[in-house]
Amino acid sequence: MKLIIKLALFLSLVAGLSAGAMSYVFQLTHPIITQAQKEAETKQLNAIYKQSHFQSVSFDHKEYPLIENIYEAKKDEKREGYVYKISTPGYGGHIVYLVALDQSGRYLGYSPIDVTTETSGFGSRVGTKEMADRINKKQIGSGIDTLSGATISSKAVVKGIEQATAHYQKHYK
Amino acid sequence: MKKLKILTNGIWKENPIFVMMLGMCSSLAISTSLTNAIGMGMAVTVVLVASNFIISLLRKIIPDEIRIPVFIIIIATLVKCVQLLMNAYTPSLYTSLGVFIPLIVVNCIILGRAESFASKNHPFDSILDGLGMGIGYTLAVFIIAFFRQIIGTGGLSFYNPFNSTQVFFDLHLFDDYAISLFKLPAGAFLTLGCILAFINSRKMKKAIKVDENLEKKGSVKK
């Protein structure tokens, strides 16, 4: 009995120490990580609309579960378009990407953020120019072709775009 | 001399992947490019050296009955710290290695070295052992990644793991003839199998020669 208590105490001591070490490292790195994520996102937004000002728009997440965020892009008080951040379930996890629905009535600037969960060499092709070419400059609302050989992943991407389109046409058209 | 032997033991004689066959899961999964291989190798080496050092320092305090749980707590803490640091300072490497960073926790090489070496030896020797094993792991993954990248993508590229914009070289040799099977886990098994077959055939030849030499000596004595 005495031995069990001694062992339990030792184990909890080690666990406590390790929790302390981890929280220290977490506090050290957390601001850097969130900062880097924010910077990466603004960098991608700026790649779609240069010199624009971006503002988050609120929306009904229950009605549009695949949409993670919507940014309104304004340049000199003039609306240029809306950038949708989509997180859609693909083959191995969630595919995250940005796509802009431009005032000109076309899709613009499809840019993948996270395709690491898709099979390398097959599903991961939705993160390449091949997929972007099928989306960019297409008329909003027109069908988008999937990639053969990456059917599940590209279908997931198209599903997300369809949801963004539905939201766009209901609210901004 | 003995210290040097501890260091080189992990690099060749007891190479964790080619000889001991430990830590297969992560090494087969991430060996798709040279950059990944070096990045993962460094992460594993850092965790291995640190865990070997800490466990060896505590080897006389840790009660024998609960040594495995204590080892695992120490290793898990180190891996989590490395993961957070990588996420903060090497985000590109972090995204390309993905789920395999947290999986270093269950990499048998680390627990194996803690149990069989660090818990029985001095801290300095344990650091050397961790370093040797880490280099051995990196080397093995690098060799597998070399063949997989050439066959799977038709080229060879190497970026700075800490900064993906710094490209050391990016060769496109025969892009049209790439076999994408080699980018998948099945291709990793094929590659590893061929490398092991090669190493074992060399070893067997050596062993046969030694046997023959012994026989000759034996016959002279008779």
Side-chain angles (χ1 to χ4, degrees), chain A residues 3 6-8 10-11 14-15 17-19 21-22 25-26 28-29 32-33 36-37 113-114 116 119-122, chain B residues 32 61-63 65-66 69-70 73-74 76-77 80-82 84-85 87-89 91 95-96 98 180-181 183-184:
Chain A
L3 182 74
K6 200 186 124 203
L7 293 181
F10 187 84
L11 201 55
V14 171
L17 281 176
S18 84
M22 255 191 278
V25 175
F26 178 77
L28 208 72
T29 54
I32 304 169
I33 293 168
Q37 274 169 350
I113 295 176
D114 185 6
T116 48
T119 318
S120 150
F122 294 88
Chain B
T32 49
I61 313 170
I62 298 172
E65 296 90 336
I66 51 162
V70 172
I73 290 175
I74 292 170
T77 312
K80 189 70 200 172
C81 292
V82 167
L84 286 170
L85 290 169
N87 194 353
Y89 298 107
T95 44
S96 78
S180 57
L181 171 73
K183 281 195 262 179
L184 300 176

Side-chain angles (χ1 to χ4, degrees), chain B residues 150-156 170-179:
Chain B
I150 280 197
I151 302 171
T153 66
L156 206 59
D170 192 358
L171 306 170
H172 293 273
L173 302 170
F174 40 89
D175 282 5
D176 297 339
Y177 300 100
I179 308 169

Side-chain angles (χ1 to χ4, degrees), chain A residues 56-72:
Chain A
S56 287
V57 185
S58 64
F59 64 99
D60 186 6
H61 192 72
K62 263 188 197 147
E63 207 182 330
Y64 304 101
L66 301 183
I67 301 176
E68 222 175 63
N69 227 329
I70 304 173
Y71 300 96
E72 187 183 31

